[in-house]
Amino acid sequence: MSNPDTPADADQLRAEIEQTRADLGQTVQELAAKADVKARAKQAAGDAGNQVRQKLAGVKDQAAQAAGVVARRTSTARHQLADSDLPARLRQPLPLAVIGAAATAVIVAIVIAARSRR
């Protein structure tokens, strides 16, 4: 019983056999890669580490932007306070320093929280 799809030419039959072997070898390699739990775990850990680094970089950028906004607002408030009609005692820079320190503490807390999530 011969299969009508089977080539009659021996060279063509050999070529099909080689192609089938190559396909089978590729399939075996793919299955072996899926079965390699240690390598897959390393890959997953590396991917997770990259995601954490990207998020941390984003948090650092946000903190830097927030610090810039706080610095600009503090400067503006200082100038407005200096130009105001308030008594000299109320125009001291100490309240502005407290506001700046509080803003810095908030920014540091955000960065620390982002790092602890790793």
Side-chain angles (χ1 to χ4, degrees), residues 12-80:
Q12 188 177 4
L13 185 58
R14 284 188 191 99
E16 284 187 18
I17 291 171
E18 287 302 316
Q19 181 62 42
T20 303
R21 284 183 181 160
D23 292 344
L24 182 60
Q26 180 67 29
T27 303
V28 169
Q29 287 178 351
E30 290 171 2
L31 288 173
K34 286 185 178 183
D36 189 356
V37 176
K38 186 176 179 180
R40 291 179 68 194
K42 281 184 179 181
Q43 181 65 36
D47 292 345
N50 288 338
Q51 288 178 347
V52 167
R53 281 188 281 281
Q54 288 175 350
K55 286 182 181 181
L56 184 58
V59 168
K60 284 181 180 179
D61 290 343
Q62 288 176 346
Q65 289 175 355
V69 168
V70 168
R72 285 190 299 277
R73 287 183 181 174
T74 302
S75 176
T76 301
R78 185 178 26 218
H79 290 299
Q80 289 174 348

